[in-house]
């Protein structure tokens, strides 16, 4: 049987379509797997580069951690400092004319020999009061930082603002050996009692001065 040119062309086209379909059916899954492997390889390469940068920066991080350890407050191991930090925040807010509507202290978390205390606060006040509070917070000797600050307008009061923020307190605990060698650090700082008018304050724990012995009559 003689095949016409038209049938030959149709046969070639049909074979080409079948070959293309089979090629796609076989290669497409492998191509998708190869692309996924390529993306995975790129992600792993980026992670390796990041890890290498962290390793190279290790001396800097160690130096910063040592500075942080020497700058944080050290408290006795059995002392709950939550109330102290809450009172400090209330005092700073009062001095800055900022109202702390709510203060919620979380449980302290340990990170090695450093401890972290988070205090969730809801505040209300003017922008100037908030700026003064943040400045006063930065000036404290205690390591305290503000995170997750939110600000919104109080309805009906153009100058009033409200929002939330989290105060992060970092400190450490005295070891038993340190507590034994530093008994004064076990409690709150000693208070000074005011002296008479015109004189400097005197420490309430100071020993009384010795009185001169009476002279005996000859």
């Amino acid at each position: 049987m003689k095949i016409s040119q038209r049938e030959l062309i149709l046969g070639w086209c049909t074979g080409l379509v079948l070959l293309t379909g089979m090629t796609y059916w076989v290669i497409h899954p492998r191509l998708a797997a190869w692309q996924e492997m390529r993306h995975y390889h790129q992600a792993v390469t980026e992670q390796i580069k990041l890890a290498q940068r962290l390793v190279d920066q290790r001396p800097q991080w160690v130096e910063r951690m040592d500075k942080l350890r020497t700058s944080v407050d050290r408290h006795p191991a059995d002392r709950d400092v939550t109330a102290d930090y809450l009172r400090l925040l209330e005092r700073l807010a009062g001095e800055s004319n900022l109202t702390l509507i709510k203060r919620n202290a979380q449980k302290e978390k340990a990170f090695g020999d450093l401890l972290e205390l988070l205090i969730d606060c809801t505040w209300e006040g003017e922008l100037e009061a908030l700026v003064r509070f943040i400045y006063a917070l930065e000036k404290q000797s205690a390591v305290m930082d503000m995170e997750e600050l939110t600000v919104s307008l109080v309805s009906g009061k153009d100058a009033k603002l409200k929002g939330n923020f989290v105060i992060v307190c970092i400190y450490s605990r005295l070891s038993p050996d340190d507590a034994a060698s530093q008994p004064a650090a076990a409690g709150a700082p000693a208070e000074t009692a005011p002296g008479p008018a015109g004189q400097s304050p005197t420490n309430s724990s100071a020993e009384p001065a010795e009185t001169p012995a009476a002279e005996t009559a000859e």
Side-chain angles (χ1 to χ4, degrees), residues 100-178:
L100 294 181
I101 301 174
K102 185 185 298 183
R103 298 167 301 158
N104 182 25
Q106 302 180 16
K107 187 177 181 181
E108 68 177 17
K109 299 178 181 179
F111 298 92
D113 55 351
L114 295 177
L115 295 103
E116 176 187 77
L117 176 67
L118 301 181
I119 304 176
D120 301 319
C121 300
T122 301
W123 64 274
E124 184 174 312
E126 298 181 355
L127 178 60
E128 183 180 355
L130 178 62
V131 173
R132 285 201 300 264
F133 176 77
I134 296 175
Y135 178 77
L137 197 66
E138 293 293 333
K139 286 296 182 181
Q140 293 302 307
S141 59
V143 178
M144 304 172 68
D145 193 16
M146 178 185 292
E147 295 182 354
E148 302 179 17
L149 173 63
T150 62
V151 180
S152 60
L153 290 173
V154 177
S155 58
K157 298 180 181 178
D158 296 337
K160 279 282 188 177
L161 301 174
K162 65 178 181 179
N164 301 277
F165 55 73
V166 178
I167 299 298
V168 182
C169 309
I170 304 295
Y171 54 91
S172 63
R173 297 287 187 181
L174 288 170
S175 64
D177 296 337
D178 295 336

Side-chain angles (χ1 to χ4, degrees), residues 25-57:
W25 179 72
V26 173
I27 295 179
H28 179 70
R30 298 187 179 183
L31 181 63
W34 177 81
Q35 291 179 346
E36 183 179 356
M37 183 65 67
R38 182 168 173 266
H39 294 160
Y40 176 76
H41 181 267
Q42 291 178 349
V44 171
T45 302
E46 292 297 328
Q47 292 180 0
I48 293 175
K49 291 181 180 179
L50 176 60
Q52 186 60 46
R53 286 198 299 267
L54 293 176
V55 171
D56 295 339
Q57 295 174 358

Side-chain angles (χ1 to χ4, degrees), residues 2-16:
K2 185 178 180 180
I3 301 176
S4 64
Q5 185 177 1
R6 181 174 176 272
E7 292 175 344
L8 184 61
I9 294 174
L10 289 175
W12 276 105
C13 292
T14 303
L16 183 61

